[in-house]
Each structure stands twice: as C-alpha cells, then as structure tokens.
C-alpha cells in the first residue's frame, strides 16, 4: 500500500482542514510522507511542520502553482522547495493578490445574475483573507444557499471557464512558474494532467514544453482518476522520462475529492 501523499490542501487555500488536522489524518491513515500543496501559497507549511514534529510523519514542503500554458490553465506542483526563496515568495504574493481581486469580480458577476451580496460570506469561508479566496469557496457558498446542489454544479453553471461568473486570471506563464520552482530548489510536477480536457496530441505537446523547461515529474496516480487514465499517464511518464507522482488532492470533508492518502 502506498504510504505517501504528495498533493493536498489546507484552509490556507481551498481546503477545509487546518494543517494540524491534516497531519492527524495522515498519521491515522498510516502515511510516512505528506506534501502540503496549497494553491499559490506556502503559508500553511510552518504549521504542518510544527504539528508533525516528534511524529513518524515527514512533511514535504509543497505548493500548487496556477499557471498558463497556451491559454490553458495548468497546475504545477512544486515539491521540496525552500518556501522562503525570494523569487518564489514574490511570485506567489502576486498570484495571491490577483486572487483577492478576482474574488471581488466574481462576486460582482454573481450579483448581476441575481446572487447578491455574497462577498462577506465567501470571504468568511476563506478565513477572512481575500487572498485565499478560490472558486471552491464560491461553489461552497452557492451550495450553502441552496442555489445548486453540488460544487460540481456550481462550476458547471457559474464558475467554470466560459461560464457567466468566470473571470480570466493573470496567472503566471508555465515557464516562469518553472523558473521559480528551480530557483527555490524544488521538483516541478505537472498536476492531474488528465483534468485539462486536452487531446492526447495537445497533452504530449504540453509534456514536451514542460520537460524542456525543466519539469521533472507528472502526477500519474492522482485523486479519483480512472484506471485506464492512470495507465495512459503512466505510459506518458515513461515515454517522456518523467518521475511519476501520486497524490489525493484531498480538500477536506465536504469536497468532491478522495480521502487523504488515497
Ligand atoms: P481556483 O484556483 O480558485 O481557480 O480554483 C480551482 C479549484 O477549484 C480546484 O483546485 C478545485 O479545488 C476546484 N474545482 C475546480 N473545478 C471543480 C469542479 N468541477 N468541481 C469542484 N471543484 C472544482
Ligand atoms: Mn482546490
Ligand atoms: Mn489542481
Ligand atoms: Mn490541488
């Protein structure tokens, strides 16, 4: 049984658990290694290390960076980074600020659609920090007020790319994200490659660019991906000579992702 999980989220981004709770769950699940990989922030890492001190669990410093490749949003997981490296810290700070601004724009768009004054409640779901606000917080809010019956539905109807409350983001481009990761001494992992809706040809083109810019790994066994997809990703990882990573993408109890360690 695998005993490592290299992808999960805490309430420092759009997870519902504190880093301390994640450490407890990881220990209960029998994990030896856990990478905390919040969206565009390393702020939860110190708490994770503190909680894991004196236990058998090893915390790996991680972050999941939102980036653009050929107008396509991709997620790059960075593992084993120095979370204090100035280039990485500055880059992530810009991404986080853009998140805060986008949140308010999404709230405006929802208001036009008749969902008024959602910002205070959404902000509260993000712990009161606008720079942590993700689309998942809006999705949770829309479920909470009974507007939709699942987060998936909230993305399909309002928040997904091209939907009425979607707001384009000035995420960094993939090559710049890879340069931050390299500077911070990390390993770059292409997150959930099958979740971008790319054709096999386009996915191969992404892997060519990712690898030639210094990317070293890709997620193969990821979240609740089906076996045939995982097999395809494994074949691609071998073909492109990328390390195969595994991670649950756990976000917490009320989110549609698998359990920590799965
Ligand atoms: P953001 O980084 O704020 O644009 O939000 C991206 C996050 O939204 C992802 O990491 C997921 O947690 C969540 N998400 C994206 N698509 C969906 C979906 N179809 N259903 C549920 N959650 C989603
Ligand atoms: Mn997320
Ligand atoms: Mn992701
Ligand atoms: Mn993730």
């Amino acid at each position: 049984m695998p005993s490592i999980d290299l992808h999960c989220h805490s309430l420092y981004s759009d997870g519902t658990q504190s880093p301390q709770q994640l450490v407890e769950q990881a220990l209960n699940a029998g994990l030896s290694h856990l990478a905390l990989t919040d969206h565009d922030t390393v702020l939860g890492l110190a708490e994770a290390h503190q909680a894991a001190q004196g236990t058998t669990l090893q915390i790996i410093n991680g972050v999941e960076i939102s980036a653009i490749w050929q107008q396509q949003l991709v997620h790059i997981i960075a593992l084993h980074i120095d979370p204090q490296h100035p280039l990485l810290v500055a880059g992530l700070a810009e991404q986080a600020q853009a998140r805060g601004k986008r949140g308010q724009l999404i709230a405006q768009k929802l208001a036009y659609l008749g969902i008024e004054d959602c910002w205070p409640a959404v902000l509260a779901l993000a712990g009161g920090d606008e720079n942590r606000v993700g689309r998942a917080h809006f999705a949770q809010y829309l479920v909470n007020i009974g507007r939709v019956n699942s987060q998936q539905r909230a993305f399909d109807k309002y928040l997904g790319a091209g939907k009425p409350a979607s707001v384009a983001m000035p995420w960094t481009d993939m090559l710049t994200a890879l340069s931050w990761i390299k500077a911070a001494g990390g390993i770059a992992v292409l997150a959930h490659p099958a979740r971008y809706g790319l054709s096999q040809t386009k996915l191969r083109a992404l892997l060519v660019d990712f690898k030639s810019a210094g990317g070293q790994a890709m997620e193969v066994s990821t979240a609740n991906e089906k076996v045939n997809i995982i097999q395809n990703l494994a074949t691609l990882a071998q073909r492109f000579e990328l390390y195969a990573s595994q991670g649950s993408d756990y976000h917490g109890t009320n989110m549609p992702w698998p359990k920590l360690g799965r």
Side-chain angles (χ1 to χ4, degrees):
M1 281 295 282
S3 63
I4 65 173
D5 191 330
L6 300 178
H7 187 164
C8 72
H9 297 271
S10 77
L11 43 72
Y12 282 86
S13 63
D14 56 3
T16 58
Q17 314 291 296
S18 67
Q20 187 174 350
Q21 287 170 318
L22 290 175
V23 166
E24 282 162 18
Q25 290 180 34
L27 285 165
N28 287 337
L31 298 190
S32 61
H33 294 73
L34 178 70
L36 177 60
T37 55
D38 276 313
H39 295 289
D40 305 297
T41 182
V42 293
L43 292 178
L45 292 173
E47 220 174 292
H49 280 288
Q50 204 170 17
Q53 217 168 43
T55 75
T56 52
L57 184 68
Q58 190 161 333
I59 298 294
I60 293 168
N61 289 329
V63 61
E64 181 172 17
I65 303 177
S66 312
I68 305 287
W69 173 79
Q70 295 192 2
Q71 280 119 54
Q72 163 77 45
L73 170 68
V74 292
H75 283 175
I76 312 293
I77 301 266
L79 297 176
H80 275 307
I81 37 153
D82 167 7
Q84 278 155 9
H85 191 281
L87 197 64
L88 179 69
V89 168
L92 295 180
E94 267 189 37
Q95 303 252 100
Q97 277 162 22
R99 231 171 226 295
K101 286 193 199 126
R102 175 188 66 169
Q104 303 194 30
L105 292 174
I106 293 177
Q108 276 174 22
K109 287 200 163 183
L110 287 172
Y112 293 138
L113 299 167
I115 302 159
E116 280 163 21
D117 290 329
C118 68
W119 184 242
V122 170
L123 194 57
L125 288 174
D129 180 351
E130 66 176 19
N131 290 356
R132 285 186 203 175
V133 170
R135 284 181 292 165
H137 296 115
F138 283 96
Q140 182 63 51
Y141 172 78
L142 292 168
V143 172
N144 290 352
I145 63 167
R147 190 80 182 203
V148 289
N149 54 25
S150 70
Q151 293 212 20
Q152 179 63 52
R153 193 81 190 110
F155 276 85
D156 293 346
K157 206 166 165 204
Y158 298 104
L159 301 164
K163 302 296 171 186
S166 122
V167 173
M169 277 296 273
W171 298 126
T172 191
D173 67 282
M174 183 174 79
L175 297 197
T176 307
L178 289 167
S179 73
W180 299 344
I181 297 168
K182 190 175 181 193
I187 294 173
V189 186
L190 181 66
H192 42 66
R195 230 188 276 160
Y196 306 125
L198 300 176
S199 67
Q200 186 79 352
T201 309
K202 195 104 195 258
L203 179 52
R204 278 197 228 106
L206 168 58
L207 290 171
V208 167
D209 286 358
F210 176 74
K211 168 121 184 169
S212 62
Q216 284 179 269
M218 60 186 269
E219 287 190 325
V220 167
S221 182
T222 162
N224 40 15
E225 219 62 273
K226 296 205 167 60
V227 172
N228 63 323
I229 303 255
I230 292 174
Q231 278 166 351
N232 181 44
L233 295 176
T235 306
L236 288 168
Q238 285 183 322
R239 176 141 165 217
F240 284 86
E241 296 186 316
L242 292 164
Y243 292 116
S245 188
Q246 62 179 21
S248 61
D249 205 2
Y250 181 68
H251 279 70
T253 42
N254 52 355
M255 305 283 245
W257 313 106
K259 287 202 175 90
L260 200 63
R262 294 297 293 272

